[in-house]
Amino acid sequence: MIKNQFNLSDNYKYVNSNVRARSKRRRLWKAGTIGTWLLLMAFAAGCASGAAGSTSGADASPATPAKADGAAGTGKVIRIGYQKGNSLNILKVKGNLDERLKSEGYKVEWKVFAGGNFLLEAMSSGSVDFGHAADGSGVFGQAGNKPFVYVANDLPNPEGIGIVVHSDSAIESIAELKGKKIAVAKGGNHHYLAVLALEKAGVKLDDVQFVYVKDASEGRALFETKQVDALGSWDPFFAAVENDLKLLTLTDGQGYSPNRTFYYANEQFAKDHPDLIRLILEEIQEADEWANEHKPEVVKLLSDTLGIDADAIERAVGRRQYGVELLSPEIIAPQQQLADTYHRIGLIPSQIQVAERMPVDAPWAKDGPIQNK
């Protein structure tokens, strides 16, 4: 089978390339307990996936948005996938995208998912047109040959991931994790951080024991009861353990991973509706600018939505900046490094070139940086 990919030429046509079809992505995790797993990707969470759930809604070809139901019944529907707690959740609550699309004759159908991998799975089936998921989800999706394209990304949030140990342990550096147990969600952004940090410290991966957990609560329980020596975590759970426990943070993502989350679109939808993608990104930027100026309101919104202590949300929100960036070579490079690392340690079966799915000259980028319109 010949894989479709973006041609990054000016005419922005899809072309067939002689790229060998990727073997199907291995299933890396079973479904976890939904309660906490809903939060996995909340703040540029990792790539580990959980049990997916979505709102109801009729599926339709992504190239032709579905007819809207209801009293009017004359518009079209854009299906947007989001995860509770992420920037699209803020956009949904703020309502500015719904208002603008309504003026253009469209209705938004919001579909909630428990993890980015499942969101991209729905996107590949045509039931989602546009969505938001972590960096690792894009790598796993491309390795599984899913028909999607990256369209933009959030600002980096390297401080939102970290590796911690108990303050009363004898461990004071990453190098001293040799021979120790580290709890991580397999394939998560914090797992990736741990791999990079260990290798930089000269510790072979075979010299540590990764204990794979299904969600943040399981990892924290193992860590609190000292069944593991270290914990890899991600916001807002990282912020929560920092607030609640006596810890030493060995490292966060600074200097290792930008910890970006990305906006994705169904490949056919992106080809047929670049104008709508630009519009959506502009409205995300508007909501992001509001979020940066109203962080107390964001803390309350996310705390209520996620059921997490407001102090932890405040810490997580306080150390990140919201905003939309268009793709660039500087953004593609670390994403390729992530893909190469996942292949090297056996998380994906084949090497991939992420630039095939990350067009920097796409039509929605032709007017320059995303501005609040």
Side-chain angles (χ1 to χ4, degrees), residues 53-233:
S54 69
T55 59
S56 60
D59 293 348
S61 166
T64 305
K67 290 290 184 182
D69 297 325
T74 57
K76 295 180 179 179
V77 174
I78 308 297
R79 286 82 46 96
I80 296 182
Y82 75 102
Q83 297 158 68
K84 287 187 177 181
N86 68 17
S87 57
L88 288 184
N89 195 166
I90 297 172
L91 176 68
K92 177 180 183 292
V93 172
K94 192 170 185 300
N96 53 294
L97 176 63
D98 298 74
E99 292 177 6
R100 185 169 176 193
L101 282 173
K102 182 178 180 180
S103 70
E104 300 286 338
Y106 290 91
K107 173 185 174 182
V108 180
E109 182 179 285
W110 296 94
K111 297 190 174 188
V112 62
F113 290 85
N117 290 355
F118 283 84
L119 191 157
L120 290 180
E121 193 76 34
M123 186 176 288
S124 72
S125 73
S127 62
V128 170
D129 302 310
F130 184 96
H132 189 213
D135 44 11
S137 293
V139 168
F140 288 124
Q142 184 175 353
N145 203 29
K146 305 300 181 186
F148 69 88
V149 61
Y150 297 75
V151 299
N153 56 273
D154 281 338
L155 294 175
N157 183 28
E159 294 176 298
I161 51 176
I163 310 298
V164 300
V165 295
H166 291 285
S167 59
D168 61 357
S169 76
I171 302 169
E172 297 182 349
S173 69
I174 291 290
E176 292 173 48
L177 290 175
K178 183 175 181 179
K180 305 300 184 182
K181 295 180 180 179
I182 310 169
V184 295
K186 190 175 184 181
N189 50 5
H190 54 291
H191 183 194
Y192 177 57
L193 167 62
V195 169
L196 297 183
L198 287 165
E199 291 181 337
K200 183 177 180 180
V203 179
K204 295 180 180 179
L205 299 186
D206 289 342
D207 290 336
V208 300
Q209 181 181 345
F210 283 111
V211 178
Y212 295 126
V213 299
K214 67 179 182 295
D215 56 30
S217 62
E218 182 181 22
R220 176 165 173 163
L222 290 175
F223 180 68
E224 282 196 75
T225 56
K226 299 190 176 181
Q227 297 179 64
V228 296
D229 303 289
L231 173 69
S233 193

Side-chain angles (χ1 to χ4, degrees), residues 41-57:
M41 313 293 252
F43 290 83
C47 310
S49 62
S54 69
T55 59
S56 60

Side-chain angles (χ1 to χ4, degrees), residues 6-7 9-14 62-65 78 97 100-101 104 106 129-130 149-152 263-284 326 359-368 370 373:
F6 269 95
N7 181 353
S9 61
D10 291 338
N11 62 6
Y12 186 68
K13 293 180 178 179
Y14 286 61
T64 305
I78 308 297
L97 176 63
R100 185 169 176 193
L101 282 173
E104 300 286 338
Y106 290 91
D129 302 310
F130 184 96
V149 61
Y150 297 75
V151 299
Y263 296 102
Y264 302 89
N266 176 281
E267 199 171 53
Q268 193 65 38
F269 181 83
K271 178 183 178 183
D272 293 346
H273 300 287
D275 55 330
L276 291 178
I277 289 178
R278 179 75 187 196
L279 183 155
I280 292 168
L281 294 176
E282 288 172 357
E283 295 307 314
I284 295 170
L326 291 172
V360 298
D361 58 351
W364 53 82
K366 64 182 175 60
D367 293 331
I370 302 299
K373 296 295 183 180

Side-chain angles (χ1 to χ4, degrees), residues 334-351:
Q335 187 68 354
Q336 184 62 52
Q337 180 187 13
L338 187 153
D340 293 342
T341 301
Y342 278 11
H343 175 250
R344 176 167 55 81
I345 67 176
L347 294 185
I348 60 173
S350 304
Q351 287 187 317

